[in-house]
């Protein structure tokens, strides 16, 4: 193995011969050890690996690569700590010239644990957030059902109906949250599948607006919806996107002010743009990218914080783009652009 073979390898690499002395270290190890030139060559492997498990047990004494079990060919990755207290992930392979023969070469890989620890913290935060979000509606459901079961005869029909309606609403909220969590997990893992077909965005947006206005008061927004080209995408998922954006504008943007649908090109590619303008104070520029991250919430009374993350994931899966700007006259302006994406078979 030449000295330059792994010079630019991102992880630290140490190779030791059959006598347990170092025969090669790459540049990453030199930086970790603050070594110069070849001063580590010939050093006992124990000295070259001054990592312990915080109880004073060194890697060499614990792993015994040369005189441990003679059928081993590798030492699995584990956390070890440097003298300065930094955590590293150390793994090794054991080279033998014949099965169960003596170890001829030990190749040790050293990697900083910082990135993995960050991922672990993110997972812990995710679990804590999910537990909190699920607990809230479950507490309401359990409280009312337990009260009804133990004191049914003490309540009037109207009181029972109110409690059961609250339980029903909390169950709906729980179902919606679980659906959002599953969608977010699919987006995370790249497993969000689309059932593509022809979609008329002008008709779809009009239908979403009618549905929202039917559930509330008289609509107060202006519309400029032009006939547009057919977009090939998942109609149900696009309805999910538009419903989420409209409801967000109604709930957090002090109401919807204007909705536009029209054809628009992006980087020369044909597509359709949907623009929603709300009546709120707008979204600060430094927060606009965070809007599409998991569990981002704006103010009290916000939902699960997954809605805009799912919007971004669905639009991206369609090859589209969603952007946030300040609208003329105030408020936030959200643009969703989707490419036509007509199948090649139809284009031909």
């Amino acid at each position: 193995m030449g000295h330059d073979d792994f010079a630019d390898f991102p992880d630290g690499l140490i190779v030791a011969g059959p006598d347990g002395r170092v025969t090669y270290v790459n540049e990453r190890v030199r930086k970790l050890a603050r070594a110069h030139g070849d001063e580590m060559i010939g050093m006992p492997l124990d000295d070259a690996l001054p990592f312990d498990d915080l109880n004073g047990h060194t890697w060499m004494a614990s792993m015994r690569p040369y005189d441990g079990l003679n059928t081993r060919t590798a030492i699995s990755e584990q956390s070890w700590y440097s003298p300065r207290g930094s955590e590293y992930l150390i793994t090794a392979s054991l080279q033998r010239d014949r099965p169960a023969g003596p170890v001829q070469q030990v190749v040790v890989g050293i990697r900083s644990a910082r990135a993995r620890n960050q991922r672990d913290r993110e997972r812990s935060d995710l679990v804590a957030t999910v537990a909190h979000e699920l607990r809230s509606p479950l507490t309401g459901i359990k409280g009312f059902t337990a009260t009804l079961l133990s004191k049914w005869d003490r309540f009037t029909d109207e009181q029972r109906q109110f409690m059961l309606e609250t339980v029903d609403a909390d169950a709906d909220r729980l179902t919606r949250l679980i659906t959002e969590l599953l969608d977010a997990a699919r987006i995370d893992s790249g497993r969000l599948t689309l059932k593509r077909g022809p979609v008329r965005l002008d008709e779809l947006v009009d239908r979403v607006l009618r549905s929202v206005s039917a559930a509330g008061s008289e609509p107060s927004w202006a519309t400029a919806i032009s006939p547009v080209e057919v977009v090939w995408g998942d109609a149900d998922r696009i309805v999910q996107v538009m419903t989420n954006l409209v409801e967000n504008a109604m709930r957090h943007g002090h109401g919807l002010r204007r909705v536009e649908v029209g054809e628009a090109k992006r980087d020369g590619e044909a597509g359709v743009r949907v623009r929603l303008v709300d009546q709120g104070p707008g979204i600060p520029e430094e927060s606009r990218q965070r809007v599409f991250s998991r569990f981002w919430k704006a103010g009290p009374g916000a939902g699960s914080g997954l809605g805009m993350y799912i919007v971004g994931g669905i639009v991206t899966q369609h090859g589209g783009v969603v952007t946030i700007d300040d609208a003329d006259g105030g408020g936030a302006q959200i643009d969703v652009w989707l490419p036509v994406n007509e199948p090649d078979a139809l284009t031909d």
Side-chain angles (χ1 to χ4, degrees), residues 145-156 160 163:
T145 52
T147 302
L148 284 169
L149 285 170
S150 62
K151 302 173 182 177
W152 178 269
D153 295 332
R154 298 186 189 180
F155 298 110
T156 64
R160 291 177 195 144
M163 290 185 187

Side-chain angles (χ1 to χ4, degrees), residues 214-237:
S217 57
E218 192 68 23
S220 58
W221 54 79
T223 56
I225 300 178
S226 308
V228 291
E229 270 193 86
V230 167
V231 167
W232 282 80
D234 188 323
D236 291 338
R237 289 294 186 186

Side-chain angles (χ1 to χ4, degrees), residues 6 19 26 53 59 77 112 118 150 170 172 175 178 185 197 223 245 248 250 255 263 275 298 303 306 323:
F6 294 98
D19 58 355
N26 69 348
D53 59 2
W59 184 86
E77 182 181 86
S112 172
Q118 176 64 27
S150 62
D170 279 340
D172 286 342
T175 302
I178 290 168
T223 56
L245 292 176
N248 267 0
M250 303 290 286
E263 293 179 359
R275 172 170 290 173
L306 289 170
T323 56

Side-chain angles (χ1 to χ4, degrees), residues 100-164:
V103 172
Q104 300 299 314
Q105 188 170 256
V106 177
V107 181
V108 182
I110 306 168
R111 172 179 297 178
S112 172
R114 189 179 301 149
R116 190 190 69 175
N117 289 342
Q118 176 64 27
R119 287 197 304 272
D120 288 346
R121 279 194 296 273
E122 288 173 356
R123 289 193 185 100
S124 297
D125 291 346
L126 174 64
V127 170
T129 306
V130 169
H132 175 75
E133 294 293 340
L134 292 173
R135 183 188 295 155
S136 182
L138 273 175
T139 300
I141 291 170
K142 178 62 179 172
F144 278 121
T145 52
T147 302
L148 284 169
L149 285 170
S150 62
K151 302 173 182 177
W152 178 269
D153 295 332
R154 298 186 189 180
F155 298 110
T156 64
D157 287 345
E158 290 78 8
Q159 288 172 324
R160 291 177 195 144
Q161 182 169 346
F162 169 76
M163 290 185 187
L164 288 171

Side-chain angles (χ1 to χ4, degrees), residues 233-247:
D234 188 323
D236 291 338
R237 289 294 186 186
I238 298 174
V239 165
Q240 187 179 355
V241 166
M242 296 305 162
T243 302
N244 207 312
L245 292 176
V246 169
E247 288 180 349

